[in-house]
Amino acid sequence: MCRVDFALIPDEPLFSGVIDASQAITDEYYDNANIIDEKTFPPHVSLHICTIPHDAVEHVGGRMRALAAVLPELVPTSVEGAADGYVMLGIERTADMLALHEAVLELAVEARQSMSDKYGSPYIRDFFNPHLSVAKVDNRDKAEAVRIGRDTLGHLAVAPSRSLDLCDIGERSEQWKILASFARG
């Protein structure tokens, strides 16, 4: 089995902006447990995270090419704190974003045919919360980390999506290994 993230990678200025915000928070809170950078853990919107059989990876990756033909714009809403000390940049649930989420769910269902749990995650459809993770700090530091994130990101500009990636993220989200990547259109 392989735990994967169907990830939407933002283009500039969002890509670098999220990295800069994560680094600014890390400069203040060295114990940031979710440092976003260019390669190890790049900025991304998780469209769906689930476990799929290893032998389904190639098929799923091949089917993703068609989905990347038209990738949605990413419309930032605001930097917010979330449970467990997470700091994230909310992304608007546009019609295009939701259509891509639904198409990714269909791929996951195909890959998980032999499994009893259809989707492998409860965060689907109405529970889908598109966002870009910025940091994970101690809960007592979250409000200040959110402020740093807001100050660093400044004006939140709409950005195109750079690519649609399928990544092996490991059992505990400890890695980011790209299995398939398709640039927009």
Side-chain angles (χ1 to χ4, degrees), residues 5-74:
D5 189 336
F6 293 84
L8 196 54
I9 309 300
D11 211 341
E12 298 299 342
L14 222 43
F15 188 86
S16 294
V18 169
I19 291 171
D20 291 347
S22 185
Q23 187 57 58
I25 292 168
T26 303
D27 288 348
E28 186 69 28
Y29 301 104
Y30 64 90
D31 59 344
N32 176 6
N34 193 18
I35 299 172
I36 307 301
D37 59 17
E38 196 167 318
K39 297 243 186 248
T40 307
F41 290 104
H44 66 280
V45 174
S46 293
L47 293 165
H48 188 58
I49 296 174
C50 67
T51 302
I52 62 174
H54 281 284
D55 61 359
V57 168
E58 187 175 335
H59 172 74
V60 168
R63 294 277 316 276
M64 287 174 57
R65 180 180 308 279
L67 299 181
V70 181
L71 294 177
E73 286 190 325
L74 301 177

Side-chain angles (χ1 to χ4, degrees), residues 43-149:
H44 66 280
V45 174
S46 293
L47 293 165
H48 188 58
I49 296 174
C50 67
T51 302
I52 62 174
H54 281 284
D55 61 359
V57 168
E58 187 175 335
H59 172 74
V60 168
R63 294 277 316 276
M64 287 174 57
R65 180 180 308 279
L67 299 181
V70 181
L71 294 177
E73 286 190 325
L74 301 177
V75 181
T77 56
S78 66
V79 177
E80 300 293 334
D84 299 326
Y86 280 98
V87 177
M88 58 190 191
L89 173 60
I91 299 295
E92 189 176 312
R93 289 171 47 105
T94 63
D96 290 341
M97 176 74 70
L98 294 175
L100 182 58
H101 172 67
E102 191 64 39
V104 164
L105 290 177
E106 289 177 24
L107 285 180
V109 168
E110 284 179 28
R112 296 175 54 82
Q113 287 178 38
S114 63
M115 304 173 82
S116 60
D117 180 3
K118 192 173 179 177
Y119 300 106
S121 171
Y123 302 106
I124 64 171
R125 297 188 178 97
D126 289 345
F127 297 105
F128 172 55
N129 179 25
H131 65 277
L132 292 154
S133 292
V134 178
K136 183 179 190 287
V137 297
D138 189 281
N139 265 329
R140 71 176 181 266
D141 300 324
K142 183 169 54 175
E144 181 60 16
V146 166
R147 186 199 60 75
I148 293 169

